[in-house]
Amino acid sequence: QVQLVESGGGLVQAGESLRLSCAPSGGTFSGYVMGWFRQGPGKEREFVATIGRSGAVARYADRVRGRFTISRDDTKNTVYLQMNSLKPEDSAVYYCVADQQWIPTTGYKPRYWGQGTQVTVSS
């Protein structure tokens, strides 16, 4: 069982940056594929980014590619989502996820989820 805890959300203005962090509550991320999903108000939950076990491979949703960067530091047992050039439409609850298999960009619900952290971008 993997318990995930997100941090780093908040209120920013359009064009600014935020970095989200995700750490396990006990245990380790080693050996897990990690990722981020988000759910905006009145919207369905959607894939944002995923990173492989070694950190060498990452995938992004089209609407965040080039602005967001996912990374992992297994020595610190932490996964990050660096979000730059934020837009109001990026406002959402962001969820850290983990799975023992690769996380596709569509049509798949990862096995483990955090409680989420709110990101609000004002115009």
Side-chain angles (χ1 to χ4, degrees):
Q1 184 76 12
V2 177
Q3 294 181 322
L4 308 173
V5 180
E6 305 94 337
S7 61
L11 172 63
V12 297
Q13 293 188 335
E16 294 184 340
S17 299
L18 272 178
R19 188 176 77 163
L20 305 182
S21 299
C22 174
S25 176
T28 175
F29 285 155
S30 179
Y32 285 87
V33 176
M34 304 299 300
W36 293 90
F37 278 61
R38 70 184 182 184
Q39 187 168 18
K43 300 180 182 179
E44 293 188 354
R45 201 169 292 185
E46 64 176 359
F47 169 86
V48 175
T50 188
I51 188 166
R53 295 178 184 84
S54 70
V57 178
R59 295 289 184 268
Y60 298 91
D62 288 344
R63 60 189 67 185
V64 307
R65 187 178 295 112
R67 300 188 296 121
F68 291 13
T69 303
I70 187 172
S71 61
R72 64 189 296 163
D73 185 343
D74 285 7
T75 64
K76 296 181 178 179
N77 232 3
T78 304
V79 175
Y80 304 99
L81 185 67
Q82 178 67 44
M83 306 185 293
N84 298 330
S85 303
L86 282 162
K87 305 175 181 180
E89 52 263 44
D90 294 319
S91 297
V93 177
Y94 283 71
Y95 298 91
C96 179
V97 299
D99 205 303
Q100 288 143 324
Q101 69 167 62
W102 181 250
I103 299 172
T105 60
T106 60
Y108 184 75
K109 182 178 180 181
R111 182 171 183 181
Y112 302 106
W113 292 72
Q115 292 300 306
T117 185
Q118 177 71 47
V119 172
T120 303
V121 184
S122 65
S123 58

